[in-house]
Amino acid sequence: MYRSRVLANCLNGGADLPGVERIVDPPVPRQAAPELRGQAVRWLAGDHGQLHARQPDRGLDEPRRRVEQIRPEKAATTMPGRYPQGEVAVGLLRKGGRLPARANMPGMNVVFVEPFFPSSQRHFARALAEAGATVIALGESPAEALDEELKGWLHHYEQVPSVTDAEAMTGRVRRVQDRLWVDRVEATIEAHTLATARVREACGIPGTSVRTAWLCRDKPSMKQALREAGVPTAASAAVGSAGEALAFAEQVGFPLILKPRSGAGASDTMRVENAADLEHALDMFGSQGVESIAVEEFVEGHEGFYDTIAIDGEVAMDFVSHYYPNVLEAMRTRWISPQFISTNRIDTVPEYAELREMGRRVNAALGIGTSATHMEWFFGPKGLKFSEIGCRPPGVGAWDLYCAGNEIDVYREWANAIVHRETGSAPSRRYASGMVALRPDQDGRITGYTGVGEMHQQHGEWVIDVHLPSPGTETQPVEAGYMANAYVRMRHPDYDALRAMLDDVGRTLHVYAS
């Protein structure tokens, strides 16, 4: 691993699918939505009347309370005996993993889901603690696996069999509620969001609702809700048989995109060009026991993503990134060294206004309150089109790039939004930042690299960090993602210059395996 100081400074520290269950949408109220601006988003292809989600008393992201917590103002009388913060930290983490009989912790108490894996999760725990929250964590690893630094940010840790098991998680959170008021329960990984929302609803804790989490997970339901709100999106449907898929193809035409109804990235996503391809794809899904999939119109155009931190339904901080090439091609073609780049022109190029307006309308239509979001989009001959959204931060280290490009700790700003309902700093937009993924020439084990010295000689001052797995490391398949093998991350004040540098690295730095 070759690492500059930049990131550390910024971060601180047959064909039928049997047994189909038809799509069941949660109630999606029709909402009036402002018209999209008519101005084309010309610069999106290569970087060249909002509805407020907050409602009185219980907003769209506020589930009804079903249990009674002990409110902080009552804690002094109902739970006498004050534990100093340091004593609590030691006691909760090292005395059998049990909460003390009485605990009165000042400030906001946040239950954070899975602080240990993947390793980037620790930044969220760290940021919450730095923002002044008392952090109680739930995770799948034993407490002994947590390092001392991570333990230092947590006041209590509970191991659960699975962080996607809502029933088990609810039991742990209720146990915490028996001892102290819980203000928030937060999850930052796609697969954890729906279970976490169910925990909130069962325990009466404010935050992203089950309805919103469902809509942000189930792609056909998501797109239906947004079409009803007037957001331009590709035609789509949930299908459970070859007949339904063929009927959709006859209506919309080929090519089509097939994908799981829930999931992140391009995992198990397929493009089909004709009826034969469609039958083959359905056979593959059927052999995996999948009962219902999402089938979508193929949208031609450039692909990117729009990420926000929202507070009470309003965008408090946002970033725009571009893929080169589009994700599906990048995840299927070994010789390509794919990139994604976060632009620093979002505030100066007027055409980004349409994308920002779409993001605000999507957040409102889905009832996203206070949360990070990750929205994928396309821009092409049919204009700007919504692709999908997650009610959570982006993956593949995107926030690290935002930190380095904007001289800001985005994790801390997310924590400030959760704890203080505000962000403390604005992105500087000083640098565009991006990464290029470097694939080995074949699967096997890494044997070596060429071009590393040339890269540092040519572009060293703009390098954020370089990840080169040691020789002997087993390679990961191409479809495993941008950070599966080697990669280089860089920043530069000029977006076009950064693109050229990442192109050069992709051409000259080679990874070999045998």
PDB file of all heavy atoms in Angstrom, residues 21-40:
ATOM      1  N   GLU A  21     -44.396 -14.249  -6.145  1.00  0.00           N
ATOM      2  CA  GLU A  21     -45.267 -13.389  -5.353  1.00  0.00           C
ATOM      3  C   GLU A  21     -45.314 -12.047  -6.050  1.00  0.00           C
ATOM      4  O   GLU A  21     -44.285 -11.413  -6.264  1.00  0.00           O
ATOM      5  CB  GLU A  21     -44.707 -13.212  -3.945  1.00  0.00           C
ATOM      6  CG  GLU A  21     -45.558 -12.302  -3.083  1.00  0.00           C
ATOM      7  CD  GLU A  21     -44.965 -12.146  -1.700  1.00  0.00           C
ATOM      8  OE1 GLU A  21     -44.016 -12.892  -1.406  1.00  0.00           O
ATOM      9  OE2 GLU A  21     -45.436 -11.309  -0.944  1.00  0.00           O
ATOM     10  N   ARG A  22     -46.479 -11.628  -6.440  1.00  0.00           N
ATOM     11  CA  ARG A  22     -46.600 -10.381  -7.196  1.00  0.00           C
ATOM     12  C   ARG A  22     -46.096  -9.212  -6.358  1.00  0.00           C
ATOM     13  O   ARG A  22     -46.140  -9.233  -5.133  1.00  0.00           O
ATOM     14  CB  ARG A  22     -48.058 -10.134  -7.597  1.00  0.00           C
ATOM     15  CG  ARG A  22     -48.583 -11.170  -8.590  1.00  0.00           C
ATOM     16  CD  ARG A  22     -47.854 -11.097  -9.913  1.00  0.00           C
ATOM     17  NE  ARG A  22     -48.026  -9.786 -10.516  1.00  0.00           N
ATOM     18  CZ  ARG A  22     -47.298  -9.360 -11.537  1.00  0.00           C
ATOM     19  NH1 ARG A  22     -46.355 -10.111 -12.047  1.00  0.00           N
ATOM     20  NH2 ARG A  22     -47.516  -8.174 -12.042  1.00  0.00           N
ATOM     21  N   ILE A  23     -45.677  -8.221  -7.056  1.00  0.00           N
ATOM     22  CA  ILE A  23     -45.171  -7.036  -6.384  1.00  0.00           C
ATOM     23  C   ILE A  23     -46.239  -6.461  -5.459  1.00  0.00           C
ATOM     24  O   ILE A  23     -47.400  -6.327  -5.817  1.00  0.00           O
ATOM     25  CB  ILE A  23     -44.731  -5.977  -7.421  1.00  0.00           C
ATOM     26  CG1 ILE A  23     -44.240  -4.721  -6.702  1.00  0.00           C
ATOM     27  CG2 ILE A  23     -45.843  -5.614  -8.372  1.00  0.00           C
ATOM     28  CD1 ILE A  23     -43.594  -3.729  -7.638  1.00  0.00           C
ATOM     29  N   VAL A  24     -45.840  -6.195  -4.251  1.00  0.00           N
ATOM     30  CA  VAL A  24     -46.743  -5.594  -3.274  1.00  0.00           C
ATOM     31  C   VAL A  24     -46.131  -4.272  -2.842  1.00  0.00           C
ATOM     32  O   VAL A  24     -45.130  -4.241  -2.136  1.00  0.00           O
ATOM     33  CB  VAL A  24     -46.939  -6.503  -2.045  1.00  0.00           C
ATOM     34  CG1 VAL A  24     -47.881  -5.846  -1.047  1.00  0.00           C
ATOM     35  CG2 VAL A  24     -47.499  -7.851  -2.478  1.00  0.00           C
ATOM     36  N   ASP A  25     -46.684  -3.181  -3.324  1.00  0.00           N
ATOM     37  CA  ASP A  25     -46.171  -1.875  -2.961  1.00  0.00           C
ATOM     38  C   ASP A  25     -46.746  -1.438  -1.617  1.00  0.00           C
ATOM     39  O   ASP A  25     -47.931  -1.628  -1.372  1.00  0.00           O
ATOM     40  CB  ASP A  25     -46.545  -0.829  -4.004  1.00  0.00           C
ATOM     41  CG  ASP A  25     -45.788  -1.034  -5.296  1.00  0.00           C
ATOM     42  OD1 ASP A  25     -44.677  -1.567  -5.269  1.00  0.00           O
ATOM     43  OD2 ASP A  25     -46.324  -0.652  -6.337  1.00  0.00           O
ATOM     44  N   PRO A  26     -45.956  -0.813  -0.793  1.00  0.00           N
ATOM     45  CA  PRO A  26     -46.519  -0.141   0.365  1.00  0.00           C
ATOM     46  C   PRO A  26     -47.318   1.048  -0.115  1.00  0.00           C
ATOM     47  O   PRO A  26     -47.178   1.462  -1.266  1.00  0.00           O
ATOM     48  CB  PRO A  26     -45.279   0.298   1.150  1.00  0.00           C
ATOM     49  CG  PRO A  26     -44.212   0.410   0.120  1.00  0.00           C
ATOM     50  CD  PRO A  26     -44.516  -0.641  -0.910  1.00  0.00           C
ATOM     51  N   PRO A  27     -48.175   1.613   0.702  1.00  0.00           N
ATOM     52  CA  PRO A  27     -48.949   2.758   0.254  1.00  0.00           C
ATOM     53  C   PRO A  27     -48.036   3.873  -0.230  1.00  0.00           C
ATOM     54  O   PRO A  27     -47.107   4.265   0.465  1.00  0.00           O
ATOM     55  CB  PRO A  27     -49.716   3.184   1.509  1.00  0.00           C
ATOM     56  CG  PRO A  27     -49.751   1.971   2.363  1.00  0.00           C
ATOM     57  CD  PRO A  27     -48.481   1.232   2.080  1.00  0.00           C
ATOM     58  N   VAL A  28     -48.253   4.333  -1.419  1.00  0.00           N
ATOM     59  CA  VAL A  28     -47.478   5.432  -1.978  1.00  0.00           C
ATOM     60  C   VAL A  28     -48.447   6.554  -2.293  1.00  0.00           C
ATOM     61  O   VAL A  28     -49.100   6.545  -3.332  1.00  0.00           O
ATOM     62  CB  VAL A  28     -46.723   5.010  -3.254  1.00  0.00           C
ATOM     63  CG1 VAL A  28     -45.920   6.181  -3.794  1.00  0.00           C
ATOM     64  CG2 VAL A  28     -45.825   3.833  -2.975  1.00  0.00           C
ATOM     65  N   PRO A  29     -48.610   7.515  -1.409  1.00  0.00           N
ATOM     66  CA  PRO A  29     -49.561   8.579  -1.668  1.00  0.00           C
ATOM     67  C   PRO A  29     -49.147   9.397  -2.870  1.00  0.00           C
ATOM     68  O   PRO A  29     -47.973   9.681  -3.069  1.00  0.00           O
ATOM     69  CB  PRO A  29     -49.505   9.419  -0.383  1.00  0.00           C
ATOM     70  CG  PRO A  29     -48.181   9.101   0.215  1.00  0.00           C
ATOM     71  CD  PRO A  29     -47.883   7.689  -0.159  1.00  0.00           C
ATOM     72  N   ARG A  30     -50.117   9.783  -3.667  1.00  0.00           N
ATOM     73  CA  ARG A  30     -49.824  10.655  -4.800  1.00  0.00           C
ATOM     74  C   ARG A  30     -49.484  12.040  -4.265  1.00  0.00           C
ATOM     75  O   ARG A  30     -50.151  12.561  -3.393  1.00  0.00           O
ATOM     76  CB  ARG A  30     -51.028  10.735  -5.741  1.00  0.00           C
ATOM     77  CG  ARG A  30     -51.311   9.390  -6.413  1.00  0.00           C
ATOM     78  CD  ARG A  30     -52.483   9.507  -7.379  1.00  0.00           C
ATOM     79  NE  ARG A  30     -52.726   8.231  -8.017  1.00  0.00           N
ATOM     80  CZ  ARG A  30     -52.105   7.820  -9.107  1.00  0.00           C
ATOM     81  NH1 ARG A  30     -51.200   8.595  -9.666  1.00  0.00           N
ATOM     82  NH2 ARG A  30     -52.388   6.658  -9.649  1.00  0.00           N
ATOM     83  N   GLN A  31     -48.453  12.615  -4.827  1.00  0.00           N
ATOM     84  CA  GLN A  31     -48.027  13.917  -4.362  1.00  0.00           C
ATOM     85  C   GLN A  31     -47.851  14.850  -5.551  1.00  0.00           C
ATOM     86  O   GLN A  31     -47.335  14.451  -6.583  1.00  0.00           O
ATOM     87  CB  GLN A  31     -46.686  13.807  -3.619  1.00  0.00           C
ATOM     88  CG  GLN A  31     -46.720  12.850  -2.455  1.00  0.00           C
ATOM     89  CD  GLN A  31     -45.386  12.792  -1.763  1.00  0.00           C
ATOM     90  OE1 GLN A  31     -44.779  13.812  -1.488  1.00  0.00           O
ATOM     91  NE2 GLN A  31     -44.914  11.600  -1.465  1.00  0.00           N
ATOM     92  N   ALA A  32     -48.286  16.073  -5.383  1.00  0.00           N
ATOM     93  CA  ALA A  32     -48.026  17.056  -6.419  1.00  0.00           C
ATOM     94  C   ALA A  32     -46.539  17.303  -6.470  1.00  0.00           C
ATOM     95  O   ALA A  32     -45.856  17.331  -5.452  1.00  0.00           O
ATOM     96  CB  ALA A  32     -48.752  18.359  -6.098  1.00  0.00           C
ATOM     97  N   ALA A  33     -45.991  17.478  -7.660  1.00  0.00           N
ATOM     98  CA  ALA A  33     -44.558  17.705  -7.789  1.00  0.00           C
ATOM     99  C   ALA A  33     -44.329  18.795  -8.819  1.00  0.00           C
ATOM    100  O   ALA A  33     -45.052  18.892  -9.807  1.00  0.00           O
ATOM    101  CB  ALA A  33     -43.854  16.417  -8.236  1.00  0.00           C
ATOM    102  N   PRO A  34     -43.347  19.637  -8.610  1.00  0.00           N
ATOM    103  CA  PRO A  34     -43.076  20.696  -9.565  1.00  0.00           C
ATOM    104  C   PRO A  34     -42.609  20.134 -10.888  1.00  0.00           C
ATOM    105  O   PRO A  34     -42.079  19.023 -10.955  1.00  0.00           O
ATOM    106  CB  PRO A  34     -41.967  21.507  -8.880  1.00  0.00           C
ATOM    107  CG  PRO A  34     -41.324  20.549  -7.941  1.00  0.00           C
ATOM    108  CD  PRO A  34     -42.424  19.628  -7.486  1.00  0.00           C
ATOM    109  N   GLU A  35     -42.783  20.910 -11.955  1.00  0.00           N
ATOM    110  CA  GLU A  35     -42.354  20.488 -13.276  1.00  0.00           C
ATOM    111  C   GLU A  35     -40.828  20.482 -13.334  1.00  0.00           C
ATOM    112  O   GLU A  35     -40.148  21.307 -12.736  1.00  0.00           O
ATOM    113  CB  GLU A  35     -42.887  21.457 -14.341  1.00  0.00           C
ATOM    114  CG  GLU A  35     -44.393  21.402 -14.499  1.00  0.00           C
ATOM    115  CD  GLU A  35     -44.855  20.092 -15.092  1.00  0.00           C
ATOM    116  OE1 GLU A  35     -44.132  19.532 -15.922  1.00  0.00           O
ATOM    117  OE2 GLU A  35     -45.942  19.645 -14.702  1.00  0.00           O
ATOM    118  N   LEU A  36     -40.272  19.534 -14.088  1.00  0.00           N
ATOM    119  CA  LEU A  36     -38.835  19.544 -14.341  1.00  0.00           C
ATOM    120  C   LEU A  36     -38.491  20.727 -15.220  1.00  0.00           C
ATOM    121  O   LEU A  36     -39.275  21.126 -16.084  1.00  0.00           O
ATOM    122  CB  LEU A  36     -38.404  18.261 -15.065  1.00  0.00           C
ATOM    123  CG  LEU A  36     -38.098  17.065 -14.199  1.00  0.00           C
ATOM    124  CD1 LEU A  36     -37.781  15.884 -15.084  1.00  0.00           C
ATOM    125  CD2 LEU A  36     -36.920  17.346 -13.289  1.00  0.00           C
ATOM    126  N   ARG A  37     -37.316  21.265 -15.016  1.00  0.00           N
ATOM    127  CA  ARG A  37     -36.885  22.354 -15.869  1.00  0.00           C
ATOM    128  C   ARG A  37     -36.675  21.852 -17.288  1.00  0.00           C
ATOM    129  O   ARG A  37     -36.207  20.752 -17.511  1.00  0.00           O
ATOM    130  CB  ARG A  37     -35.580  22.950 -15.334  1.00  0.00           C
ATOM    131  CG  ARG A  37     -35.731  23.455 -13.908  1.00  0.00           C
ATOM    132  CD  ARG A  37     -34.454  24.048 -13.421  1.00  0.00           C
ATOM    133  NE  ARG A  37     -34.569  24.392 -12.007  1.00  0.00           N
ATOM    134  CZ  ARG A  37     -33.631  25.027 -11.325  1.00  0.00           C
ATOM    135  NH1 ARG A  37     -32.544  25.401 -11.925  1.00  0.00           N
ATOM    136  NH2 ARG A  37     -33.810  25.300 -10.041  1.00  0.00           N
ATOM    137  N   GLY A  38     -36.973  22.712 -18.238  1.00  0.00           N
ATOM    138  CA  GLY A  38     -36.836  22.289 -19.626  1.00  0.00           C
ATOM    139  C   GLY A  38     -35.416  22.313 -20.131  1.00  0.00           C
ATOM    140  O   GLY A  38     -35.108  21.759 -21.177  1.00  0.00           O
ATOM    141  N   GLN A  39     -34.510  22.965 -19.413  1.00  0.00           N
ATOM    142  CA  GLN A  39     -33.147  23.099 -19.885  1.00  0.00           C
ATOM    143  C   GLN A  39     -32.450  21.752 -19.930  1.00  0.00           C
ATOM    144  O   GLN A  39     -32.493  20.971 -18.999  1.00  0.00           O
ATOM    145  CB  GLN A  39     -32.387  24.035 -18.946  1.00  0.00           C
ATOM    146  CG  GLN A  39     -30.984  24.366 -19.431  1.00  0.00           C
ATOM    147  CD  GLN A  39     -30.310  25.327 -18.477  1.00  0.00           C
ATOM    148  OE1 GLN A  39     -30.749  25.463 -17.339  1.00  0.00           O
ATOM    149  NE2 GLN A  39     -29.264  25.989 -18.906  1.00  0.00           N
ATOM    150  N   ALA A  40     -31.788  21.473 -21.019  1.00  0.00           N
ATOM    151  CA  ALA A  40     -31.069  20.205 -21.166  1.00  0.00           C
ATOM    152  C   ALA A  40     -29.838  20.192 -20.263  1.00  0.00           C
ATOM    153  O   ALA A  40     -29.262  21.233 -19.958  1.00  0.00           O
ATOM    154  CB  ALA A  40     -30.645  20.006 -22.624  1.00  0.00           C
TER     155      ALA A  40
END
